[in-house]
Amino acid sequence: MIRCMAIDDEPLALQQLVAYINKVPFLELAAQCQSALEARAFLEHDTADAIFCDINMPDLNGMDFVKSLAAPPLIVFTTAYSEYAVEGFRVNAVDYLLKPFGLQDFQRAANRLRERIESNVPSVGGSSTDIQDDVLFLKTDYRIVKVSIPDIRYIEAMSEYLKVWIEGELKPIITLLSMKKIEERLPDYFMRIHRSYIVNLTKIQEVNKNRIIMDAQTYLPIGDMYKEAFQAYLNTKFLGK
């Protein structure tokens, strides 16, 4: 069981958080607090494996509270303000839930907590505290997720949304973003090959006429506007007669 604390200054939000914790079989509620000061007092005489913590609270906000702990447990931040996301990941938070979030989003965060504990990855205050240049933060549903850029296989445009396909994941991350915006943030081993596709060149398995084969089930078309640039890339890598 993972002993959890729920911290939120809004009574209804705290009540919902406690209800979600009680619905997850491997979570156990250790304490529920309406302020960071109350939570700090609890931790002076007891322990918790994880904290679900609101950020915007009076007297002491959740971010400063977590930073003040000498040996903090694992943290999942909950807030209505997405601008705290990057700062949240700087302190190595396990997840970041944007209010209002549902049980499914909470369950995903809980699963991440369990995975982090099982893998013995350091919690807040560990050595992994810097934002790296090879990551992106993408908003999906009520969460902001950290994505390792080298793990992106390809990106697919879908009306006003993007599907970001990640290595090892069966479903894409769906985010409200333009191709132009994400293209500006990608390194040079990504290439636009079609009006609707950006591909990680290191993930290509085969090129067959006017399509790129990523795996046995994934074939991406090469658009007419992008053929010349893609062929130029191939020529720099091609060996043979």
Side-chain angles (χ1 to χ4, degrees):
M1 296 288 284
I2 302 174
R3 284 171 49 82
C4 298
M5 294 179 65
I7 310 172
D8 201 306
D9 65 306
E10 299 177 7
L12 290 178
L14 182 60
Q15 182 180 348
Q16 183 185 57
L17 199 52
V18 169
Y20 285 165
I21 289 172
N22 289 332
K23 287 179 183 293
V24 179
F26 55 84
L27 297 184
E28 176 188 356
L29 182 66
Q32 51 180 304
C33 305
Q34 284 192 258
S35 72
L37 296 178
E38 185 182 342
R40 179 186 282 171
F42 171 84
L43 289 174
E44 288 176 356
H45 62 79
D46 210 329
T47 61
D49 302 310
I51 297 176
F52 291 89
C53 185
D54 186 27
I55 293 180
N56 281 341
M57 293 186 290
D59 298 325
L60 179 63
N61 72 48
M63 193 73 67
D64 290 338
F65 162 66
V66 169
K67 291 178 181 177
S68 73
L69 297 176
L74 297 173
I75 303 295
V76 174
F77 284 117
T78 65
T79 183
Y81 302 94
S82 60
E83 61 264 27
Y84 289 110
V86 172
E87 188 177 359
F89 282 111
R90 276 204 179 99
V91 295
N92 204 20
V94 174
D95 212 338
Y96 183 101
L97 291 169
L98 278 177
K99 298 178 180 178
F101 53 87
L103 179 58
Q104 187 176 4
D105 300 297
F106 181 86
Q107 179 73 63
R108 278 197 295 262
N111 289 337
R112 288 187 173 211
L113 277 176
R114 182 167 62 177
E115 291 168 4
R116 182 74 71 93
I117 287 174
E118 290 174 351
S119 63
N120 294 316
V121 175
S123 61
V124 179
S127 60
S128 180
T129 57
D130 295 328
I131 295 295
Q132 299 174 352
D133 291 335
D134 61 351
V135 299
L136 294 174
F137 293 92
L138 299 176
K139 182 178 179 181
T140 177
D141 296 325
Y142 298 113
R143 303 166 60 242
I144 292 180
V145 296
K146 182 170 68 172
V147 176
S148 171
I149 293 175
D151 290 340
I152 299 174
R153 298 178 65 230
Y154 65 97
I155 298 164
E156 178 182 359
M158 182 183 66
S159 186
E160 297 178 344
Y161 291 83
L162 298 181
K163 291 182 177 180
V164 182
W165 293 88
I166 307 295
E167 190 77 39
E169 299 291 337
L170 296 178
K171 295 182 179 180
I173 294 170
I174 299 177
T175 185
L176 180 61
L177 198 63
S178 69
M179 291 286 269
K180 183 177 184 297
K181 190 71 174 178
I182 200 167
E183 199 171 8
E184 292 172 351
R185 289 285 288 108
L186 294 172
D188 57 10
Y189 56 86
F190 283 83
M191 180 176 287
R192 185 85 170 262
I193 60 160
H194 187 275
R195 182 167 55 92
S196 300
Y197 293 99
I198 297 172
V199 66
N200 183 337
L201 298 169
T202 69
K203 304 293 185 182
I204 295 174
Q205 290 191 3
E206 186 178 333
V207 179
N208 189 333
K209 296 182 179 179
N210 291 328
R211 62 183 184 176
I212 289 172
I213 301 173
M214 305 298 289
D215 54 50
Q217 290 80 39
T218 309
Y219 298 75
L220 306 181
I222 303 172
D224 291 339
M225 289 178 55
Y226 305 92
K227 285 181 182 177
E228 185 176 347
F230 183 70
Q231 186 60 53
Y233 163 76
L234 284 183
N235 290 342
T236 66
K237 305 295 181 182
F238 185 73
L239 294 179
K241 296 182 179 180

